[in-house]
Structure formats: C-alpha cells, structure tokens
Amino acid sequence: FNAVNCGDFSSSYPPFNGCPISTINIGDSVQRIPAYFADDKSALTSLTIGNSVTSIGSSAFENCSGLTTLTFNAINCSSFTSSSHPFTDCPISTIVIGDSVQTIPAYFAYNKSSLTSVTIPNSVTSIGENAFSGCSGLTSVTIPNSVTSIGSSAFYNCSGLTSVTIPNSVTSIASSA
C-alpha cells in the first residue's frame, strides 16, 4: 500500500471485503493509514508499517483475528486512544519496533494481553502513556539508554512482568508507569 494520504473508508463498506489478505506492507512514503483500512481481515497475520506514517485511522486493523506480528517503523506516529485503537481485537504476540522510531505512541499496545515480545531500539526517546498497559503476557522489558521519559501507566497492569531494566538516562517516570 503506497497511497500517501488516503482518506478514510466506511465501516460498512471496508475495502478488500472478503479477500484473504495475509500480509500488508505499508510503504515508506505513506503518511496516513485510513480508518477501517483492513478491518476484519482474519487471514492477516503480518503487518509492516512504514517510517513516514504519522497517523493510523480508527479501527484500521480492528478484528484482524490472525494478526500476530507487527513491524512498526513509524518514526513519529501520533498517539492512539483506547476507544479508537487501530489494533482492537488483534492477538499480536510480537512487535518489532524499527531502528529509527523515536516515540512509542500513547496506547500503542494497549490491552494486548497476547503480547509476549517487544524490542525497544536505541532510537526511542519516549514511551507514551498506556503504551503497554494491560500487556499481561510480557514477562521482561529492557528500556534502552536513549529513553528519557516513560508516560503515565505505560506498563500499568502488566501482571506477568517480572523483570524491567531502566537505564540512568530516564529522567521522568510518570504516575502508575
């Protein structure tokens, strides 16, 4: 998908309806992923988001019941919200964050209890609020030396988290992080 700034789609008539698409690669020139872009694509197992993406529309990948792997290269993507999360009801277990990503958006992997693995690269300087809140499948997290701030509730209710490494570069840890 290489449409640079495509408009939103209707939730009633999402594109590619009934198509068994298993892999989607969002090109590096794409700035915006439309709302309902790949809504309800149960065959989708792998998604790669390009580095120029600055926003992902509401419910863009909602109900993608086979989506287990997310490669996220968006350097400065805007925050998500819990009510219009693009990955609602996706059983993502592995997230690979690209080496150029600077900010992990708020609500990035919110309530992804299926998430067992995430690698945060040295390019990341901040982790947004509720970024990994409710990720009960995470058991350990290593925060790289580049991170200076951890948002509120960033790892709240991660009941499986038994090991966290926080470097001395972190100068701000918000409440309930």
Side-chain angles (χ1 to χ4, degrees), residues 112-139:
K112 293 287 158 242
S113 60
S114 55
L115 184 64
T116 58
S117 174
V118 64
T119 301
I120 302 172
N122 286 323
S123 58
V124 172
T125 59
S126 66
I127 300 172
E129 68 178 77
N130 289 292
F132 298 99
S133 179
C135 293
S136 58
L138 278 179
T139 57

Side-chain angles (χ1 to χ4, degrees), residues 16-17 21 28-29 40 46 48 53 56 59 70 77 80 84 92 114 121 123 131 140 142 144 151:
F16 321 114
N17 201 14
I21 297 169
D28 283 337
S29 61
D40 206 19
S46 177
T48 299
V53 171
I56 301 174
S59 304
L70 171 62
C77 190
F80 308 141
S84 64
I92 298 170
S114 55
S123 58
S140 70
T142 299

Side-chain angles (χ1 to χ4, degrees), residues 157-169:
N157 209 15
C158 290
S159 58
L161 197 57
T162 58
S163 173
V164 178
T165 302
I166 302 173
N168 61 7
S169 62

Side-chain angles (χ1 to χ4, degrees), residues 16-162:
F16 321 114
N17 201 14
C19 299
I21 297 169
S22 62
T23 302
I24 295 177
N25 293 311
I26 306 293
D28 283 337
S29 61
V30 175
Q31 296 172 4
R32 182 177 185 285
I33 299 172
Y36 304 102
F37 173 70
D39 179 31
D40 206 19
K41 301 292 176 264
S42 61
L44 183 64
T45 59
S46 177
L47 172 63
T48 299
I49 295 178
N51 60 21
S52 293
V53 171
T54 57
S55 68
I56 301 174
S58 174
S59 304
F61 301 97
E62 185 174 5
N63 296 317
C64 290
S65 59
L67 183 58
T68 57
T69 302
L70 171 62
T71 302
F72 187 81
N73 295 310
I75 294 171
N76 281 310
C77 190
S78 62
S79 300
F80 308 141
T81 66
S82 61
S83 62
S84 64
H85 199 277
F87 305 109
T88 299
D89 295 328
C90 298
I92 298 170
S93 60
T94 302
I95 296 177
V96 177
I97 299 172
D99 289 337
S100 297
V101 174
Q102 297 171 0
T103 302
I104 297 177
Y107 294 92
F108 176 64
Y110 181 72
N111 273 341
K112 293 287 158 242
S113 60
S114 55
L115 184 64
T116 58
S117 174
V118 64
T119 301
I120 302 172
N122 286 323
S123 58
V124 172
T125 59
S126 66
I127 300 172
E129 68 178 77
N130 289 292
F132 298 99
S133 179
C135 293
S136 58
L138 278 179
T139 57
S140 70
V141 172
T142 299
I143 297 170
N145 287 326
S146 56
V147 173
T148 59
S149 67
I150 300 172
S152 65
S153 301
F155 296 96
Y156 179 77
N157 209 15
C158 290
S159 58
L161 197 57
T162 58

